[in-house]
Amino acid sequence: MGFLPNVYKVFANSPAALRAFLQAQEQLSEGELTEAEREIVALAVSQVSDSEYCLAAHTVFANQAGLSDDAIRASRKGEGSGIASFASKLALQRGRLSDADLVEAREAGLSDSRMVETVAVVAHIIFTNYLNNVAHTDVDFAPVEG
C-alpha cells in the first residue's frame, strides 16, 4: 500500500490482537468468498457500525477488488447482492436472523458454508469497526460521504 495504515498503529498496542486479526484475515482469504464478496461484507457491516475509518479503507479495497462505485454504494446499503443483504442483516440484528431471512439468503444463492463464512467475515469486520470507533483512529484513506 505504500504506507502503514493508522489502524495498525492502534493494533500495535496489543500484539496478541494484531496477530488474531492477521491470522483471521489470512484464513478468511482462503475461504469460499471472493475478495470482492469479502469487501461487500466489509462495506455493509462498516455502514451499520458507522465506522468512518473502515468505510474509507474498504471503499478503496473494494475498488481494487473490482467493485464499481454503484456496487460500493449498494453494498453499503445492504443491497445489490444476497451477500450484502445477509451481512447487513447480521450486523443490524446482531446475528438474530429469522427463518425467513435464512430462506432469503439461500434463495439468493448462499449455501450454508457461505453463510457461515459470511458470519466469520462479519465478526472480523466488526472487530476492526469497534476498534477504530473506540480509538477514534485518524482516517488515512480518502473519506467517503455519509
Side-chain angles (χ1 to χ4, degrees):
M1 289 177 33
F3 71 99
L4 180 65
N6 287 334
V7 67
Y8 290 102
K9 296 172 186 173
V10 175
F11 267 125
N13 289 290
S14 172
L18 175 59
R19 284 190 305 272
F21 170 78
L22 292 173
Q23 185 173 21
Q25 186 174 43
E26 179 182 341
Q27 294 299 311
L28 291 168
S29 74
E30 297 173 6
E32 289 183 47
L33 299 183
T34 66
E35 180 182 2
E37 289 171 327
R38 291 190 308 276
E39 291 306 326
I40 288 168
V41 172
L43 290 163
V45 173
S46 296
Q47 185 69 44
V48 171
S49 296
D50 194 27
S51 176
E52 181 183 357
Y53 188 94
C54 290
L55 282 170
H58 287 287
T59 295
V60 170
F61 303 151
N63 241 301
Q64 292 171 346
L67 293 176
S68 69
D69 291 342
D70 287 342
I72 289 169
R73 280 190 290 279
S75 297
R76 288 180 59 190
K77 295 176 186 175
E79 299 172 354
S81 70
I83 289 230
S85 176
F86 185 65
S88 183
K89 285 179 184 179
L90 280 167
L92 283 166
Q93 297 167 206
R94 296 182 177 95
R96 298 183 190 281
L97 301 186
S98 68
D99 290 341
D101 292 329
L102 298 177
V103 167
E104 182 181 312
R106 285 186 182 96
E107 288 174 351
L110 276 75
S111 63
D112 287 351
S113 63
R114 288 173 57 82
M115 281 192 266
V116 169
E117 198 168 307
T118 301
V119 171
V121 174
V122 167
H124 187 248
I125 295 302
I126 286 174
F127 179 22
T128 57
N129 288 173
Y130 287 12
L131 178 65
N132 288 307
N133 286 350
V134 167
H136 303 284
T137 308
D138 288 332
V139 179
D140 48 2
F141 293 89
V144 296
E145 295 180 18

